[in-house]
Amino acid sequence: MYGQSDMGHIRTWLVGLLLIFTLAACLPETGPPPDNPYQALMLGEINADRRAAGVPELGWSPKLGGLAAGWACILADQNAFYHRDLTAVINDPEYANFSTLGENLAFGPRGAGVSSIENSWMNSPAHRAIMLSPSFTLVGVAYCENATQVYWVANFGALR
C-alpha cells in the first residue's frame, strides 16, 4: 500500500496542514494592506475591477490571506488543483465571525504574472462573479510555487 517514505511524507503533510490552519486562525480578521508586493498588486487589481463595476473595494484580511497561503502551498506541494471545503472552514470556531466565504484558485507556469492570473479570473464567469460580488467585503490572496507551477488562492469573505 504505502511505503515508509510515503507515510513520512503524509505525516509531514498532515502536520504542516495543521500548523497552517492554526497559524491562519490566529491572524486578525482585518488589517492594513499586505507588505508582499505580489499580494498587494493582486489586491489592487481586484479592487480596480470592483471600482470599474461600481462595487465597493475589498479590505485586506490577514486571516483570509493566511488561509489562502496555506491552501496555495498545499496545492503546490501536491501538484494538485481542487477547492477546499469552505463549509468546514466557516464552521470552525476560529472563523465564526465570518458570515460567508468564497474562493478562487488559479495556477500557471512559474513566473506567470499577477495580471495574467487576475485576468484569467475576470474572464471566467464563475470567478468574476465571486470577485465582483457585493456580498464580500474582505479578501486574502496568496501564492505558492513548486518546481514548475505557481498556485494562487483568493479567499473572499464578509464578517457577521
Side-chain angles (χ1 to χ4, degrees), residues 7-22:
M7 292 307 293
H9 178 72
I10 291 169
R11 234 184 336 272
T12 301
W13 184 81
L14 289 172
V15 168
L17 180 63
L18 179 62
L19 181 62
I20 287 166
F21 282 116
T22 301

Side-chain angles (χ1 to χ4, degrees), residues 77-136:
D77 181 58
Q78 294 179 353
N79 204 31
F81 194 69
Y82 58 96
H83 286 278
R84 82 173 84 236
D85 180 357
L86 292 178
T87 301
V89 173
I90 207 162
N91 286 326
D92 182 320
E94 292 294 333
Y95 293 87
N97 289 337
F98 287 92
S99 61
T100 187
L101 292 174
E103 181 176 76
N104 281 355
L105 306 177
F107 76 98
R110 281 183 65 129
V114 169
S115 292
S116 69
I117 297 295
E118 201 267 348
N119 286 334
S120 73
W121 284 335
M122 285 300 290
N123 289 325
S124 160
H127 294 97
R128 180 184 181 91
I130 291 171
M131 289 173 55
L132 300 181
S133 172
S135 297
F136 297 122

